[in-house]
Amino acid sequence: MSGRLADHTIEQNWQAYAEDEHAVWRLLFERQQKLLKRRACREYLDGLQQLGVAAHGIPDFRRLSDILDRATGWRIVPVPGLVPDEVFFAFLAARRFPSTCFIRRRDQLDYLQEPDVFHDIAGHVPMLMSPVFADYMQAYGEGGLKAVHLGHLNHLARLYWYTVEFGLIATDEGLRIYGSGILSSAGESVYCLKDSHPHRLRFDLRRVMRTQYHIDRYQETYFVIDDFAQLFAATRPDFAPIYREISVLPEISAEAILPEDRAYAGFVSGKKEGPRVSTARV
Ligand code: HBI
Ligand code: FE
């Protein structure tokens, strides 16, 4: 790892976790396991199992990294918290996943704005066991470095938000979760699939990049991919012309629906899904 990146890393110091910190992990993990068995995508559930991420306590990153490295060449690097955007992207481009080490307190089980070790390890890392998703994350890191230089980080950050953090995938068994922000949230893992309030739209790169998001509440809109190959293919073109194209178009608010939007047409709780009547302004 380059010196500049290494400057942002810390030691996980696994031996130093208190028993109560492991107990918080167990609470979170057991609760999510029950919810995710029938809600998370196959790639996530397989990754979790292969990594041996389990209920007994906060995992040792070195053990996980060795398994992850053999599967897809990714490793986990411990960081103290949010790292600067360019550093974050440089890590991803080098197939290094920066993970926080601290765990939320007992009074924060349901909600925490910043990432903690449960979000990073139980939410993100299992997806990195999937070869296509692992490549997508690296491509995203490379795209992030370019976006910063082009002054379009806002557009690229929305792609991350609506895929890596809050993405849904259409499968033969129905709609499933792959976004880590949902996978690590008990409330949102139920809400995103079942609730009649949010829109569930077919993934469209330009639409996603134009759509604002809220960081402090459940999402108003989810974007549904058909498979991870579609996601990876969407990141293959040079984004520079796409950024130019969308920067002259209006931004889209988190809850808005456009006439050209395509709703996910699966069956959710016995009702056919469609966009709600458009009352929102763009
Ligand atoms: N740092 N540790 C950490 N985790 C993140 O998810 C993260 C970050 N720094 C910046 C960042 N995310 C954003 O720039 C991207 O999500 C767009
Ligand atoms: Fe995250």
Side-chain angles (χ1 to χ4, degrees):
M1 203 197 308
S2 87
R4 197 175 73 83
L5 289 184
D7 284 348
H8 294 271
T9 69
I10 57 171
E11 284 289 322
Q12 184 191 15
N13 203 3
W14 185 78
Q15 295 76 11
Y17 286 112
E19 185 42 44
D20 195 54
E21 294 178 306
H22 288 299
V24 170
W25 173 282
R26 281 196 289 276
L27 270 173
L28 290 165
F29 193 89
E30 280 164 9
R31 187 168 69 166
Q32 281 314 89
Q33 266 307 92
K34 289 194 198 97
L35 292 171
L36 294 181
K37 263 191 197 112
R38 286 169 26 256
R39 293 183 174 89
C41 67
R42 178 54 38 209
E43 288 79 357
Y44 174 81
L45 296 171
D46 287 349
L48 204 58
Q49 195 184 24
Q50 287 157 18
L51 284 164
V53 171
H56 42 256
I58 301 167
D60 183 341
F61 294 178
R62 257 182 288 245
R63 187 185 68 76
L64 292 190
S65 283
D66 289 341
I67 303 170
L68 190 56
D69 200 350
R70 278 196 295 275
T72 59
W74 275 76
R75 297 194 70 84
I76 301 158
V77 289
V79 295
L82 285 174
V83 296
D85 292 333
E86 284 202 75
V87 173
F88 181 68
F89 296 136
F91 273 128
L92 300 184
R95 290 174 101 86
R96 294 288 180 277
F97 187 76
S99 172
T100 51
C101 302
F102 77 97
I103 191 145
R104 67 194 74 181
R105 297 189 314 259
R106 270 175 197 277
D107 61 342
Q108 300 172 314
L109 288 191
D110 293 315
Y111 185 69
L112 187 69
Q113 206 159 300
E114 73 268 43
D116 74 340
V117 66
F118 184 73
H119 168 78
D120 284 331
I121 298 297
H124 284 285
V125 171
M127 290 304 301
L128 293 170
M129 290 289 282
S130 153
V132 182
F133 195 81
D135 287 349
Y136 172 68
M137 285 288 273
Q138 178 184 358
Y140 181 82
E142 290 161 355
L145 293 170
K146 283 189 219 154
V148 170
H149 293 115
L150 293 168
H152 283 279
L153 182 58
N154 59 335
H155 291 127
L156 195 75
R158 290 171 184 162
L159 177 63
Y160 191 84
W161 188 264
Y162 282 117
T163 62
V164 177
E165 295 291 358
F166 292 97
L168 298 179
I169 182 166
T171 76
D172 293 341
E173 291 89 49
L175 205 53
R176 289 288 183 273
I177 304 163
Y178 75 91
S180 306
I182 312 174
L183 293 165
S184 59
S185 159
E188 194 154 2
S189 46
V190 175
Y191 167 91
C192 72
L193 298 180
K194 276 274 149 79
D195 201 278
S196 62
H197 179 75
H199 305 301
R200 299 173 185 87
L201 305 178
R202 291 277 175 187
F203 176 84
D204 176 272
L205 182 71
R206 288 164 180 77
R207 170 64 159 93
V208 168
M209 286 185 168
R210 290 173 58 199
T211 308
Q212 299 164 346
Y213 56 81
H214 301 299
I215 64 164
D216 57 354
R217 62 191 101 152
Y218 296 162
Q219 301 307 300
E220 299 281 351
T221 299
Y222 298 95
F223 290 94
V224 182
I225 61 169
D226 295 322
D227 51 42
F228 293 110
Q230 176 197 21
L231 193 55
F232 187 53
T235 58
R236 207 158 295 156
D238 179 10
F239 283 178
I242 299 175
Y243 293 146
R244 281 197 296 274
E245 201 184 303
I246 62 179
S247 42
V248 299
L249 298 173
E251 306 225 308
I252 304 167
S253 69
E255 61 281 349
I257 280 291
L258 305 181
E260 63 268 31
D261 283 338
R262 289 188 309 138
Y264 168 73
F267 287 79
V268 178
S269 55
K271 281 198 321 226
K272 194 159 198 299
E273 282 287 287
R276 287 174 298 147
V277 178
S278 173
T279 48
R281 275 187 309 122
V282 175

